[in-house]
Amino acid sequence: PPGVTITSLTSYPQYKGGSLKIEGVAATREKLISFKDSLRQDALFENAELPLSVLVKSRNIQYQFTIMGDFKP
């Protein structure tokens, strides 16, 4: 989404159905929360949580979180 950049996407297929680690930079806290909420609403993903420590900054936020889901073909 606009204002949120993904700089790294790592797949871990060995974990229960698979997981993805997403890293990047968000222009604002609000844009990052909106991105996380969009992921949580998608039925493909079981979990998308951000550490509270990421939300301390209000601008230029480097984030990292892991989402779980059924990513195996």
Side-chain angles (χ1 to χ4, degrees), residues 10-34:
T10 307
S11 173
Y12 297 99
Q14 68 272 27
Y15 296 108
K16 183 188 139 193
S19 67
L20 297 172
K21 181 171 76 170
I22 301 174
E23 298 177 86
V25 179
T28 66
R29 180 185 307 129
E30 291 76 19
K31 300 238 183 229
L32 182 56
I33 291 170
S34 176

Side-chain angles (χ1 to χ4, degrees), residues 33-60:
I33 291 170
S34 176
F35 176 51
K36 177 207 50 135
D37 289 344
S38 294
L39 291 173
R40 291 179 78 188
Q41 291 174 2
D42 192 311
L44 179 64
F45 307 124
E46 295 175 13
N47 183 17
E49 297 296 330
L50 285 168
L52 291 177
S53 59
V54 170
L55 301 175
V56 172
K57 285 183 70 178
S58 62
R59 297 195 167 283
N60 297 319

